[in-house]
Amino acid sequence: MTAAAINGQRLLASLAELGTVGGLPGGGVCRLALTDADKEGRDWVVGRMRALGMEVSVDAIGNVVAVYAGREDGPPVMTGSHIDTVRTGGLYDGNYGVLAGLEVIAALRDADVRTRRPLAVAFFTNEEGARFAPDMMGSLVFQGGMPLDDALATRGIDGATVGEELRRIGYAGAAPVGTNRVDSFVELHIEQGPVLDREGVQIGVVEGVQGISWTEFTLHGVSNHAGTTPMHMRNDAGYVAACVATFARALTQRYGGNQIATVGALTLTPNLVNVIPNKALFTVDLRNTDGAALQAAEAELWSFAEQAAADEGVACERRMLARFDPVRFDPVLVERVERAARAQGRSCRRMPSGAGHDAQMLARMCPTAMIFVPSVKGLSHNVKEHTEPADLVAGAQVLLQVLVELADRP
Amino acid sequence: MTAAAINGQRLLASLAELGTVGGLPGGGVCRLALTDADKEGRDWVVGRMRALGMEVSVDAIGNVVAVYAGREDGPPVMTGSHIDTVRTGGLYDGNYGVLAGLEVIAALRDADVRTRRPLAVAFFTNEEGARFAPDMMGSLVFQGGMPLDDALATRGIDGATVGEELRRIGYAGAAPVGTNRVDSFVELHIEQGPVLDREGVQIGVVEGVQGISWTEFTLHGVSNHAGTTPMHMRNDAGYVAACVATFARALTQRYGGNQIATVGALTLTPNLVNVIPNKALFTVDLRNTDGAALQAAEAELWSFAEQAAADEGVACERRMLARFDPVRFDPVLVERVERAARAQGRSCRRMPSGAGHDAQMLARMCPTAMIFVPSVKGLSHNVKEHTEPADLVAGAQVLLQVLVELADRP
C-alpha cells in the first residue's frame, strides 16, 4: 500500500477545466476527434503532462503518451483513455480516465514516490468514432490492428481525412506506431450504463468488453408521388429502413439479455412529406458479449434487410463501419483490481463493458483490465452525463493502488 | 366545335422554356414556393399573359389571374393550376395546366375568336406545400377556406414566413382574396400516377379528389449510450417512429385499395450511430377517396402512435399539417369533359385524383372538373417525370373545347 493519495479537489478541478473546452451552452461538451476543439483539449492535457515532468511523445496517428520515469527502464505500466467526445457528450467519458491517470502521477510526485517500472498516461485518437469510423481508431492502430495508411486515409462525415486533420491541428506526430511495448494497461472509465448506479455499487471490476458490429445500410428506391402511387407499385426506401429497425429490436428480444441493437442514424432523401423516399441511409449497432451469438444476429439482420429490400423492389447496399469481437481481460489483472477495491473497502462487482473502450485494443498486446465507476441513471453520450465526486475520487484511488502494485512488482 | 386549334409546337416550347427556370443539373426543376426561382418563373408567365393581351391581377396571397375579355362581362370561365414545384420536381406538374391554358388563349387569338363569357387563366401560390404547409394554400385562401392573415403568417421549413417572402419577391398583390366570382373551373393536369399510362388511355375524366391527411409527429425520448443501455431501459424515439411507419403500411393493407399511406420525411436527433435517438420528427401522409375510411385510418394511426410511444416511455406530440376531405366534382361538368374527349376521338376513362389539386378548392365555389393526361410510368415529384408530347397536345385540345363550350353556353 503506497503512501501516495489522490487529491480529490485537484482531480475534480481538472475535469471541470477540460470540460470547458468545447463546452456546450446547456452543459456537456462537443470535441469531435481532430476538430479545433479537440486540438485545444489536447494542448491543455499535454501542458499538464509536461508540468508533471513527464516525457510526452505523439505518434503518427496522434496518440499521445506521457511517461513518468521509474527507478528502472523498460516497458511502462500504462493507463489512459481518450479525450474526444460525441457531438452531445459529457465531461467524464474518456476524460476521466486520462485526468485520473495524471492525478495518480501528481499524487506520486507529491509523496515523492518513484515506482520500479515507468508509468505512462496516454490518450488515444478518435475513440468515439462520431466523426471518423471506426471508433477506437487510435488504439487500434497503436496495437497494430489497422494499417496506419488506412487510418490516415479515412474520410469523416464532413469529408476531411484523418491525415489532413492531424496535420492541420499539429498532431501528426513523429513517434512510430505498432512498435510500442507496454508492460500492462489499466483503463479507468465511467460505466456509461445504469448497472452500478442502480445497484449502489461503487466500483465495477470489468472482465471484458461486448463485441460490436456496426453496419451502414444504403437503400435505393424510387421517388414518386405519395398520393397517386398504389401501395403495391412502390419502391419505398424509407419503409424498408423502418422494417429493418423494428426487426433489429425484435431480434434483441429473441436473443435475450446480452444482445442489444440500436438504429441511431437514419436519413431519408428527398425527405419531403409527399414524396416517397428514393434513398434511406442508416446504421445498425449490434453488440453481444458472446461472439458466436453476435455473428448470428448480424447474419440474420443482413439477410432480413436484403429480403425486405427485395420484397419492396429496393436495392440494398451494406458497409461495415466497425467490427470487434468480444474481449476477455487478463484474469490475474482483473483479480488484482478486485482485491485493490476490496482492500480500500469499496463495494464492487464484476461486470462486462457494454461500450467499446481503448482497453480492448491494448488487451491484444499486454495484460489489460478496466475499472468502472457509476454513471448516474446510466446516462452517457448525453450532456447530462454525471458521476458523483466521491465515486470519481474512489475510482482514482483504486487506479493509483493497482498501477503502483503493477509497477513495483518483482 | 370551335375553329381554334392548339399549336402543339408553341405549347411544348413554352413548357421547355419554363422548365429551365430553376432547372436542375440532372434534369427536372426546383422552384419551391416564393423562392427566387419561383419569382423568376412567375415573372416569365406573367410576361406571357401580358403578351396575349390579358389583364393580369395579383391578389394578397400571390395568386395570379389573367383575364381574356369575352363578348360580355361577368364571372370568367377559369382554368389554371400552379407553377411551384417540390425540391426534385418535373417540368409538367402544375406548369402544364397553366401553360396549356395560355395556349388555349393564344389559339383563340390566332383564330380571332372571342367567347361570350370572359376566360381566365390562373396560377395559385404554394400548391405543393413543400416549403410551406398546408399545400394548395393559394387556392384555399382564394376560395375563402383559410384566413389570409393565417396564411401570411405561415412559417416555412427555412423559417421565413409566406408574407415576408411574398413581399420580398414582389408578389404581395393588391387584389383582395375571398371575394372573387368564378363561373366555372376546369384544371388540366398530368395524372401523376400510373393508371392511364398502364392502361394506354389518353384522357382521364376526373370525378373527384382523394381526401388527404398530413400528420407531423414529434417524439421525445432520451439519448443514451447505444452499447450500455439494456433494451428494456430505453426511450428510443427512433424506434417508435419506425414502428409507426411500418404500422402505416400495414394499415393500408387492412383498409384496401383506396387507402394509401406514406412516411416521406423522418429526422432523428442527434443522428449518430452509437447514440439512442432522443428525438424523431416525421410525417405521415394518409389518403382515401372515402372520407369516413380516412377518418378511421387517421384515428387508428394516432392511437397506435400514442400507445407505441407510451410503451417505450417516449413523449408523443402531434400536429396536423393538412387535412382535406374527399371532393366530388360537378357531375354535369364531368360529363361535358367526357363528351368533349370522345368527340375528339380520344380514349378516356373516369377516375379519382390521387393527388391534391387547386381544383378541389375551386370546387367549393363553382362547378369544377379536371382533365388528366398520362404520366409515363406514373413518375411524378421526380426529375424523370414525363408525358408524351402527343398526350400534352391532346389534353390541351380537350381543354380548349370544354372552355369554349362553357364560355359560349347560353
Side-chain angles (χ1 to χ4, degrees):
Chain A
M1 191 78 185
T2 170
I6 294 299
N7 178 331
Q9 288 314 312
R10 184 170 52 191
L11 171 61
L12 300 175
S14 68
L15 284 162
E17 192 171 344
L18 182 52
T20 63
V21 180
L24 297 170
V29 61
C30 175
R31 286 200 308 270
L32 293 178
L34 309 185
T35 56
D36 294 347
D38 188 25
K39 174 200 172 23
E40 199 184 327
R42 286 166 169 263
D43 293 348
W44 185 87
V45 173
V46 167
R48 206 167 173 91
M49 290 167 160
R50 295 226 165 87
L52 289 168
M54 304 176 80
E55 190 184 309
V56 177
S57 68
V58 181
D59 71 18
I61 191 64
N63 298 320
V64 174
V65 177
V67 175
Y68 182 68
R71 298 193 305 274
E72 301 173 9
D73 288 341
V77 171
M78 184 181 283
T79 187
S81 189
H82 62 95
I83 66 166
D84 68 311
T85 75
V86 295
R87 197 171 295 142
T88 55
L91 268 57
Y92 305 120
D93 182 348
N95 304 295
Y96 171 52
V98 176
L99 296 182
L102 293 181
E103 173 53 34
V104 166
I105 303 302
L108 293 175
R109 285 184 95 220
D110 294 347
D112 212 357
V113 173
R114 283 272 164 197
T115 51
R116 178 175 172 222
R117 296 178 180 77
L119 291 170
V121 180
F123 60 87
F124 298 98
T125 295
N126 183 37
E127 191 273 347
E128 292 292 2
R131 185 182 177 199
F132 302 97
D135 56 350
M136 296 170 279
M137 181 185 279
S139 47
L140 180 60
V141 174
F142 182 86
Q143 166 275 325
M146 182 181 194
L148 173 63
D149 292 346
D150 294 1
L152 295 177
T154 302
R155 203 166 284 286
I157 53 177
D158 48 17
T161 67
V162 168
E164 293 159 5
E165 289 293 273
L166 276 171
R167 283 192 299 280
R168 187 181 68 80
I169 67 169
Y171 277 86
V177 290
T179 61
N180 316 64
R181 286 180 56 225
V182 179
D183 172 84
S184 48
F185 184 81
V186 181
E187 180 173 6
L188 174 62
H189 205 286
I190 59 168
E191 180 196 340
Q192 302 183 267
V195 178
L196 294 175
D197 180 56
R198 232 187 172 186
E199 299 182 355
V201 173
Q202 199 165 29
I203 298 293
V205 179
V206 186
E207 295 181 290
V209 181
Q210 283 183 337
I212 299 182
S213 159
W214 284 5
T215 307
E216 178 190 77
F217 290 94
T218 308
L219 304 176
H220 296 280
V222 180
S223 269
N224 225 321
H225 191 290
T228 61
T229 312
M231 301 309 293
H232 68 280
M233 288 186 65
R234 296 185 174 212
N235 312 106
D236 185 337
Y239 169 67
V240 176
C243 291
V244 174
T246 53
F247 179 84
R249 170 67 68 98
L251 187 139
T252 63
Q253 283 148 2
R254 283 190 286 110
Y255 278 64
N258 283 334
Q259 179 61 57
I260 55 182
T262 309
V263 174
L266 169 58
T267 304
L268 301 183
T269 306
N271 207 39
L272 296 171
V273 59
N274 57 347
V275 182
I276 296 168
N278 60 35
K279 185 179 172 195
L281 178 69
F282 67 103
T283 57
V284 182
D285 173 327
L286 295 174
R287 310 201 191 196
N288 199 316
T289 51
D290 178 321
L294 181 60
Q295 275 188 351
E298 216 175 34
E300 263 204 66
L301 180 79
W302 292 349
S303 65
F304 176 86
E306 275 155 24
Q307 188 55 56
D311 293 347
E312 182 76 4
V314 164
C316 177
E317 292 167 18
R318 193 175 71 218
R319 192 162 69 98
M320 217 55 200
L321 294 185
R323 182 74 169 78
F324 300 112
D325 290 329
V327 173
R328 190 155 172 274
F329 288 142
D330 180 70
V332 178
L333 191 41
V334 169
E335 175 98 34
R336 186 187 291 277
V337 169
E338 191 170 37
R339 251 188 289 107
R342 295 201 190 289
Q344 293 182 13
R346 309 296 183 185
S347 59
C348 63
R349 60 120 66 206
R350 290 185 173 227
M351 63 193 299
S353 171
H357 294 291
D358 295 308
Q360 75 197 66
M361 301 305 169
L362 275 293
R364 301 177 181 178
M365 60 192 289
C366 66
T368 297
M370 286 190 78
I371 306 167
F372 276 175
V373 294
S375 311
V376 174
K377 294 206 181 97
L379 287 188
S380 184
H381 286 185
N382 183 315
V383 296
K384 297 203 181 69
E385 174 187 279
H386 179 69
T387 293
E388 296 302 338
D391 295 332
L392 293 169
V393 175
Q397 194 67 51
V398 173
L399 177 67
L400 167 62
Q401 181 171 339
V402 172
L403 291 179
V404 170
E405 283 180 21
L406 286 170
D408 281 340
R409 78 184 192 281
Chain B
M1 192 79 183
T2 170
I6 294 299
N7 177 331
Q9 288 315 311
R10 185 170 52 191
L11 171 61
L12 300 175
S14 67
L15 284 162
E17 192 171 345
L18 182 53
T20 63
V21 180
L24 296 170
V29 60
C30 175
R31 286 202 309 270
L32 293 178
L34 309 186
T35 56
D36 293 349
D38 187 25
K39 174 199 173 25
E40 197 183 330
R42 285 166 169 264
D43 292 348
W44 185 88
V45 173
V46 167
R48 206 168 172 90
M49 290 167 159
R50 293 227 165 86
L52 289 167
M54 303 176 81
E55 190 183 309
V56 178
S57 67
V58 181
D59 71 18
I61 191 64
N63 298 321
V64 174
V65 177
V67 174
Y68 182 69
R71 298 194 303 276
E72 300 174 10
D73 289 339
V77 171
M78 185 182 284
T79 188
S81 189
H82 63 94
I83 66 165
D84 67 312
T85 75
V86 295
R87 197 172 294 141
T88 55
L91 268 58
Y92 305 120
D93 182 349
N95 303 296
Y96 171 52
V98 176
L99 296 182
L102 292 181
E103 173 53 33
V104 166
I105 302 302
L108 293 175
R109 286 184 94 218
D110 292 349
D112 213 358
V113 173
R114 282 274 165 197
T115 51
R116 177 174 171 222
R117 296 178 180 77
L119 291 170
V121 180
F123 60 88
F124 298 98
T125 296
N126 183 37
E127 191 273 347
E128 292 293 2
R131 186 183 177 200
F132 302 97
D135 56 350
M136 296 171 280
M137 180 185 281
S139 47
L140 179 61
V141 174
F142 182 86
Q143 165 274 325
M146 182 182 194
L148 173 64
D149 293 344
D150 294 1
L152 295 177
T154 302
R155 205 166 284 286
I157 53 178
D158 48 18
T161 67
V162 168
E164 292 160 4
E165 289 294 273
L166 276 171
R167 282 192 299 280
R168 187 181 68 79
I169 68 169
Y171 277 86
V177 290
T179 60
N180 316 61
R181 286 179 58 226
V182 179
D183 173 83
S184 48
F185 185 80
V186 181
E187 181 173 5
L188 173 62
H189 206 285
I190 59 168
E191 179 197 341
Q192 302 182 268
V195 178
L196 294 175
D197 180 57
R198 231 187 172 187
E199 300 182 355
V201 173
Q202 197 164 29
I203 297 293
V205 179
V206 185
E207 295 181 291
V209 182
Q210 283 183 339
I212 299 182
S213 160
W214 283 5
T215 306
E216 177 190 77
F217 290 95
T218 308
L219 304 176
H220 296 280
V222 180
S223 269
N224 226 320
H225 192 289
T228 61
T229 312
M231 301 310 291
H232 68 280
M233 289 184 62
R234 297 186 172 212
N235 312 104
D236 184 337
Y239 169 66
V240 176
C243 291
V244 175
T246 53
F247 178 84
R249 171 67 68 98
L251 187 139
T252 63
Q253 283 149 0
R254 282 191 286 110
Y255 278 64
N258 284 335
Q259 179 61 56
I260 56 182
T262 308
V263 174
L266 169 58
T267 304
L268 300 182
T269 306
N271 208 40
L272 297 170
V273 59
N274 57 347
V275 182
I276 296 168
N278 61 33
K279 186 178 171 195
L281 178 69
F282 67 103
T283 57
V284 182
D285 173 327
L286 296 174
R287 311 202 190 196
N288 199 315
T289 50
D290 178 323
L294 181 61
Q295 275 188 350
E298 216 174 34
E300 263 203 68
L301 180 80
W302 293 349
S303 63
F304 175 86
E306 276 155 24
Q307 188 56 56
D311 293 347
E312 182 75 3
V314 164
C316 177
E317 291 167 19
R318 192 175 72 219
R319 192 162 68 98
M320 216 57 199
L321 293 185
R323 183 74 168 78
F324 300 112
D325 289 328
V327 173
R328 191 156 171 274
F329 288 142
D330 180 70
V332 178
L333 190 42
V334 170
E335 175 98 34
R336 187 187 291 276
V337 169
E338 191 170 37
R339 251 189 286 106
R342 295 201 189 287
Q344 294 183 13
R346 308 297 182 184
S347 58
C348 64
R349 61 125 56 209
R350 291 186 172 224
M351 63 193 299
S353 170
H357 293 291
D358 295 308
Q360 75 196 65
M361 300 305 170
L362 275 293
R364 301 176 181 178
M365 61 193 289
C366 67
T368 296
M370 287 190 77
I371 305 167
F372 276 175
V373 294
S375 311
V376 174
K377 294 205 182 99
L379 288 188
S380 183
H381 287 186
N382 183 315
V383 297
K384 296 201 183 66
E385 174 187 279
H386 180 68
T387 293
E388 295 302 338
D391 295 331
L392 291 169
V393 175
Q397 194 67 50
V398 173
L399 177 67
L400 167 62
Q401 181 170 339
V402 172
L403 290 179
V404 170
E405 283 180 19
L406 285 169
D408 281 341
R409 78 184 192 281

